[in-house]
Amino acid sequence: MEDLRYPIGKFTAPGLVTDQARKECIRTIAEAPGRIRAAVGGLTDAQLDTPYREGGWTLRQVVHHVADSHINAYVRFKLAVTEDEPKIKTYEEKFWAETADAKSLPVEVSLVLLENLHRRWVMFLESLAAGDFNRKFDHPDNGLMELNALLSLYSWHGRHHEGHIVALRKRMGW
């Protein structure tokens, strides 16, 4: 049976990241806001308040989570480029998804946020030299993490959550 938690499969960290692979990841990150907007397009509030799987977040929470997560990722990139192996702080995404804004705000708020955040993030990413992606930050749970790996992770992340929305729409005939 299909694992509804991973509609595009689990993330696998890449080995060597080439310039072409980085460009593809950046392109995918640039496209994420539009793809998520299209995925939720035309859904009613009742549909947006439907969990993508039993025990999972609602589609509304998924959209707000993507914004929360990508804000954190953007900050981590900036820290790693401007500081030497900075220690970053984690955040409890499951608790963030239970806050009032994540459970009730219109998704349009996070869609607009994502569009503008990704404009800045992509411009920043495109300005970096290849060697900048070798820079690292210190994650409390995962140790030193290289920006090449983080770039690949967030290229996957947007598609992963878009997949939750699209898969539910397909199962429900929306």
Side-chain angles (χ1 to χ4, degrees):
M1 182 174 158
E2 176 188 12
D3 186 342
L4 299 178
R5 294 173 301 168
Y6 299 100
I8 65 166
K10 290 185 178 180
F11 173 71
T12 30
L16 177 66
V17 179
T18 64
D19 288 342
Q20 186 57 39
R22 268 191 295 280
K23 286 178 187 173
E24 180 62 24
C25 287
I26 293 169
R27 184 189 62 74
T28 302
I29 289 169
E31 293 173 352
R35 294 178 63 91
I36 292 170
R37 179 178 287 284
V40 296
L43 293 177
T44 66
D45 280 334
Q47 290 167 326
L48 288 168
D49 291 330
T50 303
Y52 76 90
R53 67 174 175 86
E54 187 175 330
W57 291 335
T58 67
L59 298 187
R60 182 182 313 277
Q61 288 171 297
V62 167
V63 173
H64 293 311
H65 160 73
V66 173
D68 290 342
S69 178
H70 290 199
I71 288 167
N72 277 282
Y74 173 69
V75 169
R76 290 171 181 181
F77 268 92
K78 296 278 276 208
L79 288 170
V81 169
T82 61
E83 300 176 22
D84 290 327
E85 297 182 358
K87 290 188 183 299
I88 59 107
K89 184 178 180 332
T90 61
Y91 73 104
E92 295 292 338
E93 64 183 36
K94 66 184 177 218
F95 297 134
W96 284 40
E98 293 300 322
T99 60
D101 59 318
K103 292 180 87 169
S104 62
L105 266 177
V107 293
E108 183 64 18
V109 173
S110 282
L111 293 172
V112 170
L113 177 64
L114 278 170
E115 288 164 353
N116 288 296
L117 172 65
H118 279 235
R119 283 182 69 192
R120 286 204 53 194
W121 192 10
V122 168
M123 182 184 184
F124 174 69
L125 293 172
E126 289 174 340
S127 77
L128 298 178
D132 291 330
F133 290 93
N134 296 324
R135 295 185 64 88
K136 299 173 183 164
F137 60 82
D138 190 358
H139 188 286
D141 299 328
N142 303 324
L144 288 177
M145 293 183 67
E146 189 176 278
L147 292 185
N148 276 310
L150 195 66
L151 183 69
S152 296
L153 174 63
Y154 277 89
S155 174
W156 171 86
H157 188 259
R159 292 180 298 112
H160 166 70
H161 287 301
E162 174 197 355
H164 288 141
I165 299 162
V166 170
L168 178 63
R169 287 187 79 144
K170 184 176 180 181
R171 288 193 311 278
M172 300 297 282
W174 297 339

